[in-house]
Amino acid sequence: MAFNVLIVDDQNISRSLFESYVQSDPGYRLIKALDSARVADAYVLSTRIDLVIMDVVMSDGSNGLDAAEKIKKAKPDCKVIIVTSMPEVSYLARAREIGVDSFWYKETRQISFVDVLNRTMAGEHVYPSSTPLVRLGNCVSTELTDRELEILRYLTTGVSNQEIADMMNISVHTVKVHVAHLLEKTGFANRTRLAIEARITGLVISE
């Protein structure tokens, strides 16, 4: 019996690619392809779905990880593969936390999606060992600490140092020190340029 598959991806090219993978294998049956995660969980509840292939960032503001969390809570046996082109450092950890079965970066060359697909349905959890390496100015993402990445995420929203300090429950001085370290490591002249480049690369993405 073929596995019933739901695809959720707002990008036409990648959605079509996933459709072709599914439709070319008699072991899978494409039930529906959606361009938004808003109704993905409701669709899974109303239809027999064995596997959801889910992007994270949708153009309508919906989030694939939020939808995946609802799906895994409501139907734990439904497999979920998160697929994304964004290197946002928090995605891997959250996917594991909510019970996502597998995770695949669209630009990866280390493992094919077909391999991830088949191994997931065989009961494996297939995850990359790390997020993609991203260059931000003069440094790469692995040179930034977790705290620096957290502050960088807030910077992309345009909030002030005081607001960051309040949200993180730290002093303004500590925020200024971290921002200075970020500017020093990346080589950008100011926080505005730093925030813009961070958003462009997708290294950190604010909800």
Side-chain angles (χ1 to χ4, degrees), residues 35-167:
D35 61 4
S36 169
R38 291 193 189 282
V39 296
D41 60 313
Y43 196 91
V44 171
L45 287 174
S46 64
T47 310
R48 187 180 72 80
I49 298 294
D50 303 300
L51 169 67
V52 180
I53 301 169
M54 182 97 71
D55 195 4
V56 179
V57 180
M58 309 284 173
S59 57
D60 66 350
S62 58
N63 184 297
L65 284 168
D66 291 342
E69 183 173 17
K70 294 176 182 177
I71 290 169
K72 295 304 290 185
K73 284 181 178 179
K75 286 195 172 181
D77 292 336
C78 179
K79 305 288 188 183
V80 178
I81 301 175
I82 287 293
V83 294
T84 183
S85 58
M86 299 294 182
E88 157 61 58
V89 295
S90 68
Y91 287 172
L92 272 178
R94 186 171 178 216
R96 290 184 186 278
E97 180 184 338
I98 64 180
V100 164
D101 298 273
S102 295
F103 194 109
W104 188 73
Y105 286 111
K106 294 178 181 179
E107 282 73 27
T108 187
R109 292 178 175 83
Q110 296 179 344
I111 182 172
S112 71
F113 179 73
V114 173
D115 191 19
V116 173
L117 182 66
N118 293 331
R119 288 169 61 186
T120 300
M121 297 315 295
E124 289 188 54
H125 296 288
V126 186
Y127 272 75
S129 57
S130 61
T131 57
L133 207 61
V134 177
R135 175 157 289 281
L136 185 62
N138 296 335
C139 75
V140 292
S141 49
T142 52
E143 296 176 53
L144 303 179
T145 66
D146 290 343
R147 181 51 63 93
E148 287 170 346
L149 288 167
E150 186 177 2
I151 286 179
L152 184 57
R153 186 176 290 107
Y154 282 122
L155 284 179
T156 63
T157 67
V159 297
S160 67
N161 286 344
Q162 183 62 63
E163 289 172 307
I164 295 174
D166 292 342
M167 288 183 285

